Amino acid sequence: MPTKTYHKLVRDRIPEIIEADGKTCICETLSDEDYISLLDQKLNEELAEYQESKSLEELADLLEVMQAVVKARGWTLGELEQVRADKAAKRGGFEKKILLREVKEGC
């Protein structure tokens, strides 16, 4: 049986899914520092996958990784939502579909 090598952060149940498929896998538990670093890489990976597919499933994966980053960095989802709401109150959201084309200085 061929062996495929990875260096990839995966969801918690992936090892049991692999083993249920009759395969074996070698995994390790990351240090907090390595975990955050790989989460940051995973954000880029999931964003690229969403950009390619534009699927709701890939967007959900991106949200899952974002939630993991929030927790890994010691924040709460409530804090994240509060920062988002504060920014929306001060600067608005994106509902009006505004494209900024140009800004001129003075008169």
Side-chain angles (χ1 to χ4, degrees):
M1 173 187 277
T3 299
K4 194 165 184 181
T5 303
Y6 296 90
H7 182 78
K8 182 178 182 177
L9 182 64
V10 295
R11 289 174 176 263
D12 296 341
R13 295 194 57 223
I14 294 302
E16 71 183 70
I17 291 168
I18 290 169
E19 291 176 358
D21 196 30
K23 301 174 186 173
T24 59
C25 60
I26 298 173
C27 301
E28 67 181 85
T29 301
L30 298 166
S31 68
D32 290 345
E33 183 179 322
D34 288 342
Y35 176 55
I36 289 173
S37 176
L38 287 175
L39 276 172
D40 288 342
Q41 288 178 29
K42 193 74 169 174
L43 273 175
N44 291 328
E45 175 189 324
E46 295 299 346
L47 178 57
E49 289 174 4
Y50 168 73
Q51 292 290 3
E52 184 177 317
S53 72
K54 304 293 193 250
S55 75
L56 187 59
E57 183 176 333
E58 291 300 341
L59 196 56
D61 288 346
L62 184 59
L63 181 58
E64 186 74 31
V65 177
M66 289 174 59
Q67 290 176 344
V69 170
V70 167
K71 292 175 188 174
R73 293 196 177 274
W75 301 319
T76 67
L77 295 175
E79 289 171 319
L80 176 63
E81 174 55 25
Q82 187 60 57
V83 169
R84 187 213 58 78
D86 290 349
K87 287 189 86 166
K90 289 177 188 167
R91 300 175 68 85
F94 294 95
E95 293 83 18
K96 293 182 181 179
K97 306 175 190 172
I98 298 170
L99 173 66
L100 181 64
R101 304 277 309 211
E102 188 176 284
V103 175
K104 292 184 180 180
E105 293 289 329
C107 296

